[in-house]
Amino acid sequence: GAGVSQSPRYKVAKRGQDVALRCDPISGHVSLFWYQQALGQGPEFLTYFQNEAQLDKSGLPSDRFFAERPEGSVSTLKIQRTQQEDSAVYLCASSFSASGPYEQYFGPGTRLTVT
Amino acid sequence: GIQVEQSPPDLILQEGANSTLRCNFSDSVNNLQWFHQNPWGQLINLFYIPSGTKQNGRLSATTVATERYSLLYISSSQTTDSGVYFCAVEATSGTYKYIFGTGTRLKVLA
């Protein structure tokens, strides 16, 4: 079956531009996660949705970062006024269950480069 | 918060060799997964293993939750096994989010 998909796969933005990254989770998956992966590091948690409710946004690095999942399926991560330190791979993951145990499935990521 | 350490950080193997990767975590966990991140950046699920032992082909994993560690065994390694191996844990506090380990970078030589 189809896995988690993300678009675009690559994005180059000039410093100060706004960007929007899209995630299509596996159909029927209740939970959706965003992670940020800097070069040479492991992924770091940004935010978590259970259906359309954003239950945890403790990992968002600044108020320039905003995520939404209005209908409980597709999610968008928006970064306003991009800075060079925002350059990273942004990974989306989904899982079937809203309560454990569960397994997270990751998309291919969006590589953001801010110039 | 919970700390997740992996060892070794880097590993070079000749094709056909066996290896053991370790993941230590500092607190009790609800969930634990092993991932392989291939050279194209895709995180591939290897095992969902909060406790016990599982096997899948040449790979197997064991988690001893009471002693706060997990092991990933790779037997008869192939060049396609190259990449970075991560363990990720969810602390029992029920935060749902995964904390990823530091990773083991594996290179298998032909």
Side-chain angles (χ1 to χ4, degrees):
Chain A
V4 179
S5 61
Q6 294 185 244
S7 61
R9 292 294 313 280
Y10 303 90
K11 177 70 179 177
V12 179
K14 289 190 192 309
R15 188 173 157 216
Q17 281 184 333
D18 298 349
V19 298
L21 312 180
R22 178 187 169 105
C23 172
D24 282 85
I26 294 171
S27 178
H29 277 198
V30 169
S31 297
L32 185 145
F33 307 81
W34 284 97
Y35 293 83
Q36 180 191 59
Q37 187 173 21
L39 192 64
Q41 313 261 334
E44 292 191 352
F45 170 81
L46 294 177
T47 188
Y48 162 62
F49 290 86
Q50 188 179 115
N51 295 305
E52 68 277 3
Q54 189 175 21
L55 298 187
D56 187 343
K57 53 182 181 179
S58 62
L60 296 176
S62 78
D63 58 8
R64 297 185 296 104
F65 287 70
F66 172 76
E68 60 183 6
R69 193 186 185 198
E71 296 177 1
S73 55
V74 170
S75 177
T76 304
L77 176 67
K78 298 179 179 177
I79 309 173
Q80 297 177 325
R81 304 181 303 281
T82 52
Q83 304 294 314
Q84 283 194 316
E85 61 263 27
D86 300 335
S87 295
V89 175
Y90 291 86
L91 295 163
C92 176
S94 70
S95 70
F96 175 73
S97 176
S99 59
Y102 63 89
E103 184 172 357
Q104 291 189 27
Y105 296 87
F106 280 78
T110 294
R111 183 177 297 276
L112 173 65
T113 303
V114 181
T115 60
Chain B
I2 192 168
Q3 304 295 315
V4 186
E5 296 287 334
Q6 291 184 241
S7 59
D10 296 279
L11 187 57
I12 300 175
L13 297 175
Q14 206 64 41
E15 200 169 27
N18 303 330
S19 62
T20 301
L21 281 56
R22 186 176 180 104
C23 172
N24 291 335
F25 40 94
S26 60
D27 205 347
S28 302
V29 298
N30 274 339
N31 296 296
L32 186 149
Q33 278 187 252
W34 281 97
F35 296 92
H36 173 213
Q37 190 163 44
N38 65 21
W40 296 270
Q42 176 72 56
L43 277 166
I44 299 163
N45 289 28
L46 297 178
F47 294 102
Y48 171 76
I49 187 165
S51 63
T53 297
K54 291 186 177 179
Q55 178 153 10
N56 184 4
R58 295 182 297 103
L59 302 182
S60 63
T62 295
T63 296
V64 184
T66 52
E67 297 188 21
R68 300 182 183 170
Y69 72 90
S70 183
L71 302 174
L72 177 70
Y73 306 96
I74 305 173
S75 64
S76 304
S77 58
Q78 301 176 356
T79 55
T80 51
D81 295 333
S82 297
V84 183
Y85 289 79
F86 288 105
C87 70
V89 305
E90 179 209 344
T92 53
S93 56
T95 59
Y96 303 107
K97 62 187 179 187
Y98 271 153
I99 305 299
F100 278 75
T102 48
T104 292
R105 186 173 300 274
L106 173 64
K107 188 173 179 65
V108 181
L109 305 176

